[in-house]
């Protein structure tokens, strides 16, 4: 966990204003057992259990080593939709006292979310992107360049005859670029590629997660509905497979 002020957060203006970051390392166990308690709407209706391996997390401040109690919660994976990746969401329960300068983790639920990909999704996306890039640099790109050059050199009346070819080549190029955009949207970003994949409960193959976001639920301004306020970021890598239960 990398807790601190982020762009766009609705946390109080003095929270994290100094730029301080509070790093809290955790080891958690994602289980394939149903969570039977109440589940927040941010997570979804049905959730599985996630529990910290240790009941306390250790973090450092200027005053030395500190501890905060951490309890379990629930997790879900939202399948890929609308061209985007899958999204994992879960929460953990934090006790009081985790603070460093003007950054403090509020007592209660802290929500985690991040995009995730199975190995097959990454391989399929990379293959499709490579093939499409080959077309853009090859036949589609060459046809567009030649059609553009021919149209540019043509006289006024000859342009009328060459325009349909240019329009067709432009549409083909634009469609290929749009497909490339959709592929990139669904794939890990460059700085996510190095994330180490690992076995994950209820997921058929190895699974990797990008850097994600942290948030907490707070009362809305002026007595409005509850809001989720950005608390920081988090990242992860597999430690070991604790259970292969499906």
């Amino acid at each position: 966990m990398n807790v601190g002020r982020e762009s766009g957060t609705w946390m109080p203006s003095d929270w994290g204003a100094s730029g301080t970051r509070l790093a809290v390392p955790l080891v958690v166990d994602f289980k394939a057992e149903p969570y039977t308690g109440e589940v927040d709407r941010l997570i979804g209706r049905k959730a599985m259990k996630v529990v910290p391996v240790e009941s306390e997390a250790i973090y450092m401040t200027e005053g030395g080593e500190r501890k905060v109690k951490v309890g379990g919660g629930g997790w879900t994976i939202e399948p890929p939709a609308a061209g985007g990746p899958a999204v994992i969401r879960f929460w953990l329960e934090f006790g009081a006292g985790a603070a460093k300068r003007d950054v403090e983790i509020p007592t209660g639920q802290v929500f985690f979310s991040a995009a995730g990909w199975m190995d097959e999704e990454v391989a399929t996306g990379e293959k499709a992107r490579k093939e499409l890039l080959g077309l853009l640099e090859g036949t589609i790109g060459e046809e567009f360049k030649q059609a553009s050059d021919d149209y540019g050199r043509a006289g006024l009346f000859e342009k009328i005859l060459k325009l349909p070819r240019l329009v067709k080549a432009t549409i083909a190029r634009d469609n290929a670029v749009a497909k490339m955009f959709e592929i990139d949207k669904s794939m890990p970003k460059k700085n996510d590629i190095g994330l180490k994949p690992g076995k994950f409960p209820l997921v058929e193959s190895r699974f990797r997660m990008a850097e994600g976001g942290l948030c907490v639920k707070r009362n809305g301004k002026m007595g409005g509905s509850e809001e989720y306020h950005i608390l920081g970021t988090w990242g992860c890598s597999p430690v070991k497979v604790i259970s292969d239960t499906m």
Side-chain angles (χ1 to χ4, degrees):
M1 296 174 64
N2 182 7
V3 182
R5 195 163 195 88
E6 299 285 338
S7 176
T9 186
W10 291 349
M11 292 294 283
S13 59
D14 58 347
W15 185 91
S18 67
T20 296
R21 309 298 297 191
L22 171 58
V24 183
L26 293 169
V27 179
V28 298
D29 179 8
F30 291 93
K31 295 184 174 294
E33 303 171 21
Y35 179 84
T36 56
E38 184 178 352
V39 179
D40 189 87
R41 61 187 174 88
L42 183 66
I43 304 299
R45 293 182 180 179
K46 297 181 180 180
M48 299 295 171
K49 291 181 180 178
V50 56
V51 296
V53 173
E54 302 290 343
S55 61
E56 291 183 320
I58 298 173
Y59 63 96
M60 299 298 296
T61 70
E62 291 88 342
E65 184 178 284
R66 297 287 186 270
K67 294 181 179 181
V68 60
K69 291 187 178 299
V70 184
W75 69 271
T76 60
I77 291 182
E78 181 181 323
V87 178
I88 180 170
R89 294 187 174 92
F90 66 97
W91 83 90
L92 296 172
E93 299 277 352
F94 279 77
K100 182 179 180 182
R101 298 181 187 173
D102 55 356
V103 172
E104 181 177 5
I105 300 177
T107 303
Q109 294 178 325
V110 174
F111 298 93
F112 299 66
S113 63
W117 301 263
M118 292 191 296
D119 277 356
E120 291 85 352
E121 293 172 325
V122 175
T124 299
E126 289 176 346
K127 180 181 178 182
R129 193 182 195 285
K130 183 177 180 180
E131 292 174 351
L132 198 55
L133 186 60
L135 290 173
L136 282 168
E137 294 177 346
T139 54
I140 292 178
E142 290 170 0
E143 171 61 13
F144 174 76
K145 183 178 185 305
Q146 187 174 349
S148 298
D149 291 345
D150 287 350
Y151 183 81
R153 289 192 296 264
L156 179 61
F157 293 105
E158 194 177 9
K159 285 183 184 295
I160 297 175
L161 299 176
K162 293 186 177 294
L163 182 59
R165 180 190 179 191
L166 177 59
V167 170
K168 183 178 179 180
T170 301
I171 292 174
R173 183 205 59 176
D174 290 350
N175 286 341
V177 170
K179 288 180 181 178
M180 182 76 79
F181 176 80
E182 289 300 317
I183 291 173
D184 289 343
K185 178 182 174 183
S186 67
M187 291 285 288
K189 302 295 184 290
K190 286 184 178 180
N191 59 333
D192 294 332
I193 291 294
L195 294 183
K196 187 178 179 182
K199 187 70 176 63
F200 206 82
L202 306 180
V203 178
E204 295 179 357
S205 69
R206 296 192 311 169
F207 191 71
R208 73 188 73 201
M209 286 178 271
E211 180 181 83
L214 301 169
C215 67
V216 292
K217 186 164 63 176
R218 299 173 68 91
N219 292 328
K221 297 178 180 179
M222 300 180 66
S225 60
E226 292 177 321
E227 302 168 340
Y228 296 92
H229 294 192
I230 300 171
L231 195 70
T233 62
W234 69 285
C236 67
S237 62
V239 178
K240 66 176 181 177
V241 177
I242 296 176
S243 172
D244 267 333
T245 304
M246 296 297 288

